[in-house]
Amino acid sequence: MSGKVAERMHINLASPFIMEMWVIIFLVEFVKGSLLVALLPVYMENILGLSVTVVGFSFAMQYLGDNLFRSPSGWVMERIGYRWTMTGALLLILVAVGLIIYAKDALWLSVACLILGIGTSPLWPCTMTGITELAGSTKSGSSGAAMGAVEMASLAGTGIGPITVNFLMDHGGQSYRAVFLVLMGCAAVVAAVALLLPSRIGSHAPHAVVRDRGDEGAAVVRGRMKPLESLKRTWHQVRTSLKVSRLLFPALFLQAFAIGLMTPVVTLFARSELHVTPNQFSLLLIAGGGITVLALIPAGKLVDRIGTTIFLNIGFLLAAGSLAFFSQVRWLPLAFCAVALVGISYALILPAWNAFLAKQVPKGERGTVWGLFLTLQGSGMVAGPVISGKLWDSVGHSTPFLASAFVMVLLFGLHLLIVHRTRLKTGTS
């Protein structure tokens, strides 16, 4: 096989677009992880005296802003390109962190979290569309390894952010304001990196406009079509080209809902039930997140070779069991075992799930469809924290994790049904 053909077999993980998005995802998740996992739950409860229910509501506003604007940002990206879509949105992260510094009540903190969500909304539609386009230009069309690489960046940022913040607060003697200013610096850097993104990805860019033909198509290319007409044409194209099982839509919601149930309470659970120090909590994050990060790319490559089904089936069941186990342990060594198992389960799920979704995305309006998928998926992250806070305050501290485990079992069942119906429809065994 010649070198050129070999290069076209799989996505080049060292391509400029993948590397730039890797840095952007890492820094964005570093800021978000620092805020949502380490800083805001403790800052809002201990410094501002707000309830866990209010913490969950503020988190839900962040996810709401993220999800409401995912489909619109995917549509905008199809028309103005990656660079300006990402740069314009990511500047809002600076605004959000600045507001958090001065916010003293639930209202302004919720507004700041909403703006933070809007600022991060184009991140995954742009990433997934770019990877899908790059995969379409390869011989295999496989995207598992690339999906694993970007998920690795996401988890690394989410994990390293809280660890860094805990270190600064515990050893550096930094105030909350000083740590918030560090995060503002990271937000400025990520906006600068976004300026390096291409407007399009070569000839395989998601140019919605060049797919139209004739006089009307020429008008679109020249930018004469009115925005409302363009939206109607986009919606028509999505409806006619998107042919997926209806069960995929609740599965999209539940996949993120399971995570949303845990996000606002994991730090509080570790401190109140496991009685860990900030350093011990950092080690717990490393035990879970570190295993996930290290296993993502190898798992993604295996997904490309074997397929997604076996990884998702094992991952959902392992996640359910390990989350239920974690909710019951009160001895730190067992807690480390539990979070390690959770980390392994997510290393199996994440690249397989994203590769599974990529196969459902039609060629037309990829950015918009990815935005739609991610909006439905992320809506679980809006509902999850609100319900999690209620369960924590009114039922018990273990309940959010047990609920998350139950959702994983539901996902296992839905995935089996989706695969079964797809095989019946296509006539494959």
Side-chain angles (χ1 to χ4, degrees):
M1 183 181 292
S2 68
K4 291 183 179 179
V5 173
E7 288 177 357
R8 290 196 297 269
M9 284 294 294
H10 299 288
I11 297 174
N12 179 13
L13 298 184
S15 67
F17 178 82
I18 296 292
M19 296 299 292
E20 288 155 6
M21 289 307 302
W22 203 100
V23 173
I24 290 170
I25 290 170
F26 174 82
L27 289 173
V28 169
E29 298 299 340
F30 180 94
V31 173
K32 281 179 60 179
S34 299
L35 290 171
L36 301 182
V37 177
L39 278 175
L40 287 184
V42 179
Y43 178 72
M44 292 174 71
E45 186 181 35
N46 295 345
I47 305 300
L48 301 182
L50 303 174
S51 69
V52 177
T53 300
V54 173
V55 175
F57 180 79
S58 297
F59 280 29
M61 293 302 292
Q62 189 273 323
Y63 298 125
L64 180 66
D66 194 337
N67 285 282
L68 280 179
F69 286 85
R70 281 185 176 183
S71 288
S73 64
W75 184 83
V76 169
M77 182 273 295
E78 292 268 10
R79 281 139 186 90
I80 69 173
Y82 297 95
R83 182 187 303 127
W84 298 116
T85 302
M86 290 294 298
T87 303
L90 292 176
L91 286 172
L92 292 176
I93 298 178
L94 273 171
V95 176
V97 180
L99 272 177
I100 289 171
I101 293 175
Y102 294 101
K104 300 300 179 186
D105 54 37
L107 174 63
W108 282 107
L109 280 167
S110 297
V111 170
C113 287
L114 178 66
I115 294 172
L116 177 65
I118 296 171
T120 60
S121 62
L123 182 64
W124 289 106
C126 287
T127 301
M128 296 305 190
T129 302
I131 289 175
T132 306
E133 293 291 337
L134 289 171
S137 67
T138 64
K139 188 175 180 180
S140 68
S142 299
S143 60
M147 295 295 185
V150 297
E151 288 289 358
M152 183 177 75
S154 173
L155 288 172
T158 303
I160 293 173
I163 291 169
T164 303
V165 166
N166 284 332
F167 179 82
L168 290 174
M169 298 294 290
D170 202 34
H171 294 285
Q174 300 296 322
S175 65
Y176 281 102
R177 179 181 289 268
V179 176
F180 285 135
L181 289 175
V182 170
L183 296 181
M184 286 191 73
C186 293
V189 171
V190 77
V193 175
L195 289 170
L196 301 176
L197 286 171
S199 181
R200 307 285 180 184
I201 303 179
S203 60
H204 300 284
H207 288 251
V209 292
V210 301
R211 294 193 183 101
D212 298 287
R213 294 292 182 264
D215 294 337
E216 188 178 18
V220 177
V221 173
R222 290 192 297 270
R224 297 177 190 169
M225 181 174 281
K226 295 179 181 179
L228 184 58
E229 286 184 66
S230 182
L231 284 171
K232 287 180 178 179
R233 288 178 60 84
T234 298
W235 178 241
H236 175 72
Q237 188 171 2
V238 169
R239 289 184 63 185
T240 55
S241 62
L242 184 60
K243 298 176 181 179
V244 298
S245 170
R246 292 182 180 179
L247 293 175
L248 181 65
F249 300 121
L252 284 164
F253 172 85
L254 291 173
Q255 198 273 338
F257 182 66
I259 301 173
L261 284 168
M262 297 182 291
T263 303
V265 298
V266 64
T267 302
L268 300 175
F269 183 85
R271 293 195 175 189
S272 64
E273 299 297 324
L274 299 176
H275 306 292
V276 299
T277 65
N279 283 339
Q280 288 172 330
F281 181 65
S282 296
L283 290 175
L284 275 174
L285 290 176
I286 292 170
I291 288 175
T292 307
V293 168
L294 292 175
L296 275 172
I297 290 182
K301 290 181 177 180
L302 287 173
V303 166
D304 287 340
R305 292 182 183 180
I306 301 172
T308 62
T309 303
I310 188 171
F311 286 91
L312 290 175
N313 287 339
I314 295 173
F316 288 142
L317 289 179
L318 181 60
S322 54
L323 285 169
F325 177 47
F326 178 74
S327 72
Q328 302 304 308
V329 300
R330 296 297 182 271
W331 187 40
L332 195 55
L334 286 180
F336 274 99
C337 294
V339 297
L341 290 173
V342 173
I344 293 170
S345 69
Y346 271 90
L348 298 176
I349 292 170
L350 291 174
W353 180 254
N354 288 329
F356 174 71
L357 291 183
K359 293 177 182 178
Q360 318 297 319
V361 177
K363 291 183 179 180
E365 295 289 349
R366 278 174 169 158
T368 306
V369 173
W370 264 118
L372 173 64
F373 279 4
L374 292 168
T375 295
L376 290 171
Q377 182 166 289
S379 62
M381 292 296 285
V382 177
V386 174
I387 294 174
S388 177
K390 291 284 187 182
L391 291 173
W392 177 278
D393 285 336
S394 59
V395 182
H397 293 180
S398 298
T399 312
F401 302 97
L402 290 172
S404 184
F406 177 71
V407 170
M408 285 295 180
V409 175
L410 287 180
L411 274 169
F412 171 76
L414 281 174
H415 176 250
L416 285 181
L417 287 172
I418 292 169
V419 171
H420 178 67
R421 291 186 179 184
T422 302
R423 287 174 176 173
L424 287 178
K425 188 178 293 186
T426 59
T428 56
S429 58

